[in-house]
Amino acid sequence: QVQLVESGGGLVQAGDSLKVSCAASGRTFSSYAIAWFRQAPGKEREFVAAISRSGGSTKYADSVKGRFTISRDNAKNTVYLQMNTLKPEDTAVYYCTAGVSLYPTLPQYWGQGTQVTVSS
């Protein structure tokens, strides 16, 4: 089992950058593929980005491709989501997830989420 804790969310202006982190507990962190999802008010939860267990493979939603970068440091049990050129439509709660396989396989574990708000 793994526990996930997100941090780094906040209020920024359109065009700004923000980096959110996901710290995981447990010694088996490198056994999990990690994905970020987000949910905006009144909308369904959607996939944002994913990274394989080794970090060698990544996937992105079309809406963030070229602006967001997912990375991981298995020595620190941490995954990062660097978000550049933020837009108001990126406003959402961002969730870190872990699973045995890379997205689109649904993850098994979810964090509590961190709020990202982008003002226009």
Side-chain angles (χ1 to χ4, degrees), residues 24-38:
S25 64
R27 292 179 291 179
T28 59
F29 174 72
S30 60
S31 299
Y32 293 95
I34 304 295
W36 287 93
F37 287 76
R38 67 186 182 186

Side-chain angles (χ1 to χ4, degrees), residues 40-74:
K43 295 187 177 180
E44 293 188 352
R45 197 169 293 182
E46 65 175 358
F47 167 75
V48 176
I51 189 165
S52 62
R53 289 172 288 183
S54 67
S57 296
T58 57
K59 294 183 178 181
Y60 295 94
D62 288 343
S63 59
V64 306
K65 200 171 294 183
R67 300 188 298 123
F68 289 13
T69 302
I70 188 171
S71 62
R72 68 188 296 163
D73 185 339
N74 285 343

